[in-house]
Amino acid sequence: MRAVLLVALLLAGCGKGSAPPPKSTPATDLETAAISAGVIADPNSTDISGLFARDTDRVCIVPAALDFRIGVFVDYGDQQSCSGSGRVTRVGETLHVAFDGADGCAFDARFEGDRIVFPGRLPTACEKLCSQRASLAALDVRRLSDSVAEATTLRNSRGKLLCGS
């Protein structure tokens, strides 16, 4: 009798299919995983206002009536520098930059949460913002401060406020 019961139990177990495998979640790229884990800031939800710097390169961004104001100062020494102010609008991780006083100096830069990167090639009109061999091409700065008040104090070598009113 035991043998019949044991065979019946074994046969009953064989008839049931195993549970379906859990649905796999789609693979995510490393940046998405790092944002989810809180390792890096989400550039889509980070305010672009603030002061950014690297060595002697400086960028300020402050809110304006319809968009943002941007100021840039790069100092290579020996009277080689770049300086300019203009407007910046944001679409996701793209910053649309247009400088005043240099018609045609407009381009898209990347915003990576706490970092701004200008493209390696800029319109030739951007050369008007620079002296001698200085350039704004491939400018790469990191957030120094998210304070708008601090960003408004950025000045060029002549003392002109770049993001101030």
Side-chain angles (χ1 to χ4, degrees):
M1 180 80 157
R2 281 191 201 177
V4 173
L5 186 57
L6 183 59
V7 170
L9 286 174
L10 286 174
L11 289 175
C14 289
K16 291 188 176 188
S18 59
K23 292 185 179 182
S24 61
T25 57
T28 59
D29 60 15
L30 288 176
E31 182 179 10
T32 303
I35 290 169
S36 296
V39 175
I40 61 173
D42 182 357
N44 291 320
S45 64
T46 304
D47 185 11
I48 64 173
S49 300
L51 183 62
F52 298 79
R54 185 175 195 181
D55 297 326
T56 58
D57 304 342
R58 301 280 186 268
V59 173
C60 58
I61 299 179
V62 298
L66 299 175
D67 46 25
F68 291 85
R69 294 285 302 156
I70 186 170
V72 177
F73 179 59
V74 174
D75 186 7
Y76 292 108
D78 294 329
Q79 298 179 351
Q80 295 185 62
S81 64
C82 299
S83 174
S85 296
R87 299 172 324 281
V88 62
T89 56
R90 175 181 178 187
V91 177
E93 294 182 17
T94 302
L95 300 179
H96 302 290
V97 179
F99 283 100
D100 302 334
D103 291 335
C105 182
F107 54 88
D108 290 341
R110 272 190 350 262
F111 177 66
E112 299 174 353
D114 283 332
R115 181 177 173 214
I116 296 173
V117 181
F118 283 15
R121 299 189 105 181
L122 296 177
T124 56
C126 296
E127 293 173 6
K128 296 175 191 172
L129 302 173
C130 300
S131 63
Q132 298 182 32
R133 296 181 310 177
S135 173
L136 293 175
L139 178 69
D140 185 342
V141 291
R142 298 193 182 274
R143 187 181 302 272
L144 188 62
S145 169
D146 60 1
S147 168
V148 172
E150 189 171 356
T152 59
T153 65
L154 180 64
R155 296 176 185 269
N156 65 13
S157 60
R158 294 184 178 148
K160 177 186 175 198
L161 286 171
L162 298 174
C163 280
S165 46

